[in-house]
Amino acid sequence: VRVKLAQSDYIKYHALLGLVVLVIVVLTVVLSVVLSPKKQSIKDARNIIVIIADDLGNNDVGYNNVFGDIKTPYIDRLASESIKLDRFYTQPMCSPSRAAFFTGRYPFRMGMGGARALYYGTKSGLPQSEITLANVLKNLGYDTSLVGKWHLGFGSWDQTPLARGFNYFYGMYGGSMTHFTHMSYEGDTKAEGYDLFEDTWEGDKISHKVIVDKEETYDELLLTQKAVDIISKYKKDDRFFMVVSYTTPHSPVNPLPSDYESNSHIKNKNRRKMAGMITSLDYGVGRIHETLVKRDMLNDTILLFFSDNGAHIMMFDGESLGGSNYPLRGSKTNFYEGGIKVPAFIHVPGKFIHIACSSLQDTGLTI
């Protein structure tokens, strides 16, 4: 029997397909070790690091860039040593994509589908009935941490990261913030509130700490340093799952002055500002990779990189944000490919995995 899908259902199907495949890959690797007849223990399994860019467009990484204006040497190098997921589809907004990734389920099945994000002040979030990837890996003995953006609920403590499977959280609860002052930010409606926190467990209670940053350090630098510090505390035999969920190049488009200057070859001011933010993202990815190498952990680590959705081309008032999804049509907030087809790759050293291709087309995966 052949079932003809409506166009909207067809798009939704393919938009989530990439994330579902990625979650299946991670769980398959973990379970293949845990359930191995060779009596391998959880100590033989891999570390897992997931790096999520925020609103990074198809044309906003060097290895995809058509015009030659975006330079991402660290991302490009890592991608060249990885399996490029060149038909990787997400949801068109932050919260639905993250809900899909962490649960492996269609977000519309949990009331989080479509081009809708969780805004400051909302009481809704990822339903308590959902089991997250962090829950699963924590139960398997991994130390779990989230550095950066959460955006899956913060109206009550049971919606925050530590209640959803993470042992440690450092970052922002909401969707966006000013990159130097760390204030919550929602485009034209600037919601009041500071949004940079650290949560840890003290017994069976969550210890909540406001991170006071009087120096107004660029958030990308703070998040990268925290990720490096977490990796550096582990010993060779430890096993961990860490999500580094960056806040760039999400608006407000406000790069470090040095990163803006380093992109002086770009004449368009808005594009140059966007390139500056992508430079800081690239630097963060490079530092994480460098730390894994120095700690002799790279060959024990699965590293996933993807953007939560396509670039947001312009603000509600029509101002250009400088991102690019070229040659794809559309942008963040819609289901055209520009909003849902994103840069992605997976770096998996080959001890017990073999992938017989240099890139993935749809679901063409051999393990």
Side-chain angles (χ1 to χ4, degrees), residues 98-109:
R98 294 161 200 275
F101 172 73
F102 281 117
T103 66
R105 301 186 69 227
Y106 289 103
F108 66 81
R109 292 188 181 276

Side-chain angles (χ1 to χ4, degrees), residues 18 68 84 89 143 152-153 161 174 239 243 318 323 336:
K84 293 178 184 176
Y89 290 84
D143 189 28
L152 284 175
R239 290 296 173 252
V243 178
Y336 291 118

Side-chain angles (χ1 to χ4, degrees), residues 15-241:
L16 189 61
L17 186 58
L19 284 176
V20 172
V21 170
L22 189 55
V23 173
I24 290 172
V25 169
V26 173
L27 292 177
T28 300
V29 171
V30 174
L31 293 175
S32 68
V33 174
V34 175
L35 302 178
S36 171
K38 297 180 180 179
K39 297 183 179 181
Q40 291 174 293
S41 69
I42 191 63
K43 291 184 178 181
D44 297 311
R46 301 297 187 89
N47 306 317
I48 303 169
I49 296 178
V50 180
I51 300 177
I52 306 176
D54 202 354
D55 296 1
L56 185 69
N58 180 72
N59 196 38
D60 288 340
V61 290
Y63 71 85
N64 265 357
N65 186 254
V66 176
F67 306 124
D69 56 346
I70 299 296
K71 311 297 182 183
T72 54
Y74 297 113
I75 290 175
D76 293 354
R77 176 184 173 184
L78 190 55
S80 70
E81 300 169 353
S82 304
I83 307 302
K84 293 178 184 176
L85 311 176
D86 50 15
R87 290 189 182 180
F88 187 88
Y89 290 84
T90 65
Q91 297 293 301
M93 288 282 279
C94 313
S95 298
S97 278
R98 294 161 200 275
F101 172 73
F102 281 117
T103 66
R105 301 186 69 227
Y106 289 103
F108 66 81
R109 292 188 181 276
M110 47 184 123
M112 300 188 68
R116 297 183 299 164
L118 297 176
Y119 294 104
Y120 290 99
T122 183
K123 295 183 180 180
S124 61
L126 187 69
Q128 295 298 310
S129 58
E130 298 298 329
I131 298 173
T132 70
L133 183 57
N135 289 134
V136 173
L137 294 176
K138 182 177 180 178
N139 289 336
L140 289 173
Y142 282 74
D143 189 28
T144 57
S145 59
L146 170 63
V147 176
K149 176 174 173 176
W150 171 236
H151 209 190
L152 284 175
F154 39 87
S156 60
W157 288 117
D158 60 3
Q159 293 178 340
T160 58
L162 265 63
R164 308 316 302 263
F166 289 99
N167 290 327
Y168 177 81
F169 169 69
Y170 178 99
M172 56 189 292
Y173 289 137
S176 61
M177 67 179 179
T178 54
H179 298 291
F180 291 95
T181 58
H182 319 305
M183 297 294 291
S184 55
Y185 177 88
E186 289 181 359
D188 294 335
T189 58
K190 297 181 180 178
E192 296 294 331
Y194 192 74
D195 195 3
L196 185 61
F197 306 104
E198 182 180 48
D199 294 345
T200 56
W201 284 108
E202 289 189 0
D204 59 352
K205 295 183 179 180
I206 295 175
S207 173
H208 179 67
K209 178 181 177 182
V210 177
I211 303 300
V212 179
D213 176 37
K214 295 181 179 180
E215 291 77 19
E216 296 188 351
T217 308
Y218 198 59
D219 55 7
E220 212 74 351
L221 298 179
L222 287 175
L223 299 180
T224 295
Q225 186 59 54
K226 179 57 66 174
V228 168
D229 291 344
I230 291 173
I231 295 171
S232 299
K233 79 175 184 178
Y234 291 117
K235 298 178 182 178
K236 180 70 173 176
D237 292 336
D238 293 334
R239 290 296 173 252
F240 64 89
F241 168 61

